[in-house]
């Protein structure tokens, strides 16, 4: 019986290379993809989550573990019949027009990715047209808008209007965030959700798609 | 005052050189991304190694040194009232407030709101009256002004409410051009402004290792028009720069040297300040932390790095994560203000008014910070030791068992020897009870109230009726003036 000790350790450490090798080894040794996922990866990630919530590890460690988990799941994907196990949903994210701040947005992306979402990050200073164009192309479940300047917040409203005009608004959920952004503002501009930090962005995203 | 500086050097000389060497390697091997082809052309003509495909500029050491040697090691930040002129590179430390927040906290009711143009007028008035804050930085976003004209309105309100030097962060070159036109009118012509520029501009590279088109254009405009400028690098250790302090310093120093050398291509001898805002990320939960001890240490180290090239520096201190004037804000502000001042920074920005990681201000915080800075200046002025201060004569005169209260020596020396705080509570317990339990914050609140009421009773503002009429005619975009 495989106890997935080495794999679990690698996920805990965020050691990508070893983890991928271990997954391959387990596959070669005849473990099923399901077993590797459930007994290996998910168990390890639960440990990581537990350590994080106790303050024993810091965010960079948690993100590295999540990334490792993600890549291992990608490797396992072809062995599953019942469709996509790797993605909780697609998120298109960017900092709005006129705004160059990206640290908060990047953190949100990393956390979402760590939680199993597939991310398309457009970068900074993204005009509404670009969000529209990319929405058509990527067909995201969620669009995330970030603004760090009180003066670029109106670009969030403009982006949502542009999506509305393009007939895309109903096909996506929209989350907004950034230091000057508020819950109230999210309601005002007809966004679906507001998140004050990256951790809550993950919870809000899951809630929007009805997953836990 | 403060001539015995610097006394705090977090880095031994050999480590200053190692960090500088690392920065020079970064500039030579990795280079800086400059996202503006016209500027890249200009740099190429001036001798830079340009990789257009990646918009990357690399700095050979000799070329870098040649450019840096053109930058002045001393110049003055002028004021409209010359008693407020600020000599840089002379060992003096000048404190200023912090800029561009979007939120203001009202201490009386605990509420907060978006900042408006009147907050610029008010904070400029406070800085004008608070003696230890030596110049004014445009404090907040005027949310009641259209975006195309906010810099113009901001600076005009600042000029009208303080004669001290005014510095401000600008987003784009058009904004700088408008302010420059306004200042030229006030100065009585472009040439006069160029001789004694009483305002200056802040722009920023984007860490890691990027200079955006707006920043590059602002640097160019300021250099050419004789406006002192700073391209202040603001890395966040653990997020936009290495988690190690030495690594963050090496990257920041590289970004700053790049910004400075670019100004010297546009105009040899351009007045430029080394700009440093090194901060940290609390990696437990990814919370931005400006008030960390490491912020103060790195800012002090930045002074050492700037002085390696004899460049005047605009360092930062006096910042906090705390949302209100409280114990945390007092601790964090005092800590870094003292460290950076003792390192001998020419200018210390962000040191007054700010709370909430640079997102908020409160009027009361200006008064409190003025007092903290007053205490810092007292430390800088040191312990005077001479015949008079050694006091042998008076010690002999009083002899064993007497007291010094009524001695002439006491009266002669008492004002210079101590710093007399205006807000700290020094009453004894009973008097404190009698006066209704005041504290630093309640007294700051009174002080702000007095300054602003007195100010409201004043007339037209510092620019004077005739100049204001002229300004209204020339700049119809300016409101409330
Ligand atoms: C999709 O769903 C979601 C959900 C949640 C989301 C979300 C999206 N996006 C964010 N969140 C949330 O989750 C994140 C993680 O928990 C959080 O993200 P945050 O981004 O809030 O938090 C990050 C983890 C850390 N925080 C940050 O990274 C921002 C820190 C501060 C100091 C800041 C920085 C670092 C910078 N800046 Co800028 N900067 C300031 C900031 C003050 C502050 N304390 O916020 C602010 C925002 N800046 C300001 C300004 C004025 C400017 N900045 C500018 C430039 C820069 C730097 C390049 C130097 C640098 C950015 C580097 C970069 N790569 O991003 C200029 C503008 C450039 C532009 N056009 O965008 C410039 C104009 C500077 C100037 N010349 O005056 C001020 C804004 C004022 C206003 N009107 O709103 C400011 C408050 C500082 C100040 N007092 O001057 C949450 O907000």
């Amino acid at each position: 019986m495989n106890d997935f000790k080495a794999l679990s350790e690698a996920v805990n450490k965020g050691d990508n290379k070893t983890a991928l090798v271990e997954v391959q080894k387990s596959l070669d040794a005849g473990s099923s993809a399901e077993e590797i996922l459930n007994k290996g990866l998910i168990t390890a990630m639960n440990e990581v989550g537990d350590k994080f919530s106790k303050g024993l590890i810091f965010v960079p460690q948690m993100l590295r573990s999540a990334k490792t988990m993600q890549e291992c799941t990608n490797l396992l994907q072809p062995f599953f019949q019942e469709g996509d196990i790797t993605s909780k949903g697609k998120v298109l994210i960017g900092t709005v027009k006129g705004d160059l701040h990206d640290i908060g947005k990047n953190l949100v992306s990393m956390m979402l990715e760590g939680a199993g979402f597939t991310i398309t990050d457009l970068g900074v200073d993204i005009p509404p047209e670009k969000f529209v164009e990319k929405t058509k192309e990527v067909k995201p479940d969620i669009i995330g808008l970030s603004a760090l300047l009180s003066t670029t917040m109106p670009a969030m409203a403009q982006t949502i209007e542009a999506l509305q005009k393009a007939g895309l608004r109903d096909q996506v959920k929209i989350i907004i965030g950034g230091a000057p952004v508020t819950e109230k503002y999210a309601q005002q501009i007809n966004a679906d959700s507001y998140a004050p930090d990256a951790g809550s962005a993950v919870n809000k995203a899951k809630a929007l798609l009805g997953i836990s | 005052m403060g001539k015995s500086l610097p006394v705090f050097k977090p880095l031994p000389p050999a480590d200053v050189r190692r960090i500088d060497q690392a920065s020079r390697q970064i500039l030579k091997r990795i280079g800086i991304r400059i996202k503006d082809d016209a500027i890249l052309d200009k740099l190429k003509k001036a001798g830079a190694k340009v990789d257009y495909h990646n918009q990357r500029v690399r700095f050979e050491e000799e070329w870098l040194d040649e450019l840096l040697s053109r930058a002045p090691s001393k110049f003055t930040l002028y004021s409209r009232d010359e008693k407020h002129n600020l000599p840089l590179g002379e060992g003096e430390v000048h404190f200023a407030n912090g800029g561009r927040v979007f939120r203001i906290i009202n201490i009386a009711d605990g509420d907060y709101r978006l900042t408006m143009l009147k907050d610029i007028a008010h904070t400029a008035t406070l800085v004008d009256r608070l003696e230890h804050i030596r110049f004014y930085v445009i404090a907040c976003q005027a949310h009641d002004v259209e975006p195309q004209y906010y810099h113009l309105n901001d600076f005009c309100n600042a000029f009208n409410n303080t004669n001290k030097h005014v510095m401000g962060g600008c987003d784009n070159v058009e904004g700088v051009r408008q302010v420059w036109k306004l200042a030229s009118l006030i100065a009585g012509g472009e040439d006069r402004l160029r001789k004694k520029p009483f305002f200056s501009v802040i722009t920023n590279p984007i860490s890691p290792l990027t200079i955006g088109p707006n920043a590059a254009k602002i640097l160019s405009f300021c250099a050419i028009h004789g406006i002192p400028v700073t391209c202040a690098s603001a890395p966040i250790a653990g997020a936009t720069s290495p988690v190690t302090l030495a690594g963050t310093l090496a990257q920041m120093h590289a970004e700053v040297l790049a910004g400075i050398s670019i100004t010297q291509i546009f105009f040899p001898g351009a007045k430029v300040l080394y700009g440093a805002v090194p901060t940290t990320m609390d990696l437990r939960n990814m919370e931005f932390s400006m008030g960390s001890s490491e912020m103060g240490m790195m800012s002090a180290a930045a002074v050492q790095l700037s002085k390696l090239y004899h460049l005047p520096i605009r360092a930062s201190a006096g910042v906090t994560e705390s949302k209100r004037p409280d114990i945390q804000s007092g601790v964090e502000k005092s800590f870094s203000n003292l460290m950076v001042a003792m390192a001998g920074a020419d200018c210390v920005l962000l040191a007054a008014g700010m709370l909430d990681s640079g997102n908020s201000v409160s009027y009361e915080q200006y008064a409190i910070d003025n007092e903290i800075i007053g205490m810092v200046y007292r430390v800088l002025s040191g312990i005077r030791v001479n015949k008079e201060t050694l006091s042998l004569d008076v010690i002999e005169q009083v002899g064993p068992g007497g007291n010094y209260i009524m001695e002439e020596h006491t009266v002669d020396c008492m004002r210079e020897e101590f710093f007399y705080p205006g807000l700290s509570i020094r009453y004894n317990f009973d008097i404190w009870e009698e006066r209704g339990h005041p504290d630093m914050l309640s007294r700051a609140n009174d002080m702000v109230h007095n300054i602003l009421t007195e100010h409201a009773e004043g007339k037209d503002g510092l620019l004077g009726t005739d100049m204001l009429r002229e300004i209204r005619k020339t700049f119809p975009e300016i409101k409330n003036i």
Side-chain angles (χ1 to χ4, degrees), chain A residues 98 100-104 146 148 150 178-179 195 198, chain B residues 99-100 141 171 357-359:
Chain A
L100 304 175
H101 296 83
D102 67 358
I103 306 152
S146 180
L148 257 283
S150 54
Chain B
R100 294 298 294 276
Q141 189 75 47
D171 310 351
S357 318
N359 284 324

Side-chain angles (χ1 to χ4, degrees), chain A residues 93 98-105 107-108 144-146 148-151 175-179 195-198 201, chain B residues 99-102 141 169-171 202-207 234 236 240 281 286 288 354 357-359:
Chain A
I93 194 168
D99 204 319
L100 304 175
H101 296 83
D102 67 358
I103 306 152
K105 184 256 311 161
L107 258 176
V108 172
L145 306 176
S146 180
L148 257 283
L149 297 167
S150 54
T151 47
I175 304 189
I176 65 171
D197 68 6
Chain B
R100 294 298 294 276
V101 310
F102 64 86
Q141 189 75 47
C170 289
D171 310 351
I202 308 168
T203 185
N204 314 88
I206 301 172
S207 302
I236 306 177
T240 59
M281 192 68 115
M286 286 300 181
F288 185 49
M354 279 187 156
S357 318
N359 284 324

Side-chain angles (χ1 to χ4, degrees), chain B residues 28-81:
Chain B
K28 190 173 159 180
R29 295 212 319 255
I30 308 166
I32 298 281
R33 183 159 55 139
I34 299 183
K35 293 159 96 177
D36 186 311
D37 281 344
I39 303 268
L40 287 177
D41 287 344
K42 192 130 201 218
L43 299 195
K44 190 174 162 82
K45 250 191 227 145
K49 275 173 76 178
V50 177
D51 161 4
Y52 280 92
H53 182 66
N54 295 306
Q55 297 191 306
R56 205 73 79 83
V57 176
R58 290 187 173 77
F59 297 73
E60 289 297 334
E61 298 200 36
E62 234 170 83
W63 186 62
L64 178 72
D65 283 330
E66 181 348 71
L67 293 174
L68 291 174
S69 72
R70 298 176 187 174
S73 53
K74 294 180 181 188
F75 60 93
T76 297
L77 293 179
Y78 288 96
S79 302
R80 282 173 16 255
D81 178 346

Side-chain angles (χ1 to χ4, degrees), chain A residues 12-13 45 48-66 107 111, chain B residues 243 281-287:
Chain A
N12 267 278
K13 275 197 192 143
M45 244 353 252
V48 171
D50 197 41
K51 280 194 264 179
F52 179 70
S53 60
K54 287 190 183 135
L56 297 175
I57 59 168
F58 295 179
V59 171
Q61 292 168 296
M62 197 257 288
L63 289 173
R64 287 170 61 85
S65 293
L107 258 176
M111 294 277 212
Chain B
V243 69
M281 192 68 115
D282 185 328
L283 296 170
R284 290 172 301 182
N285 274 311
M286 286 300 181
E287 280 142 355

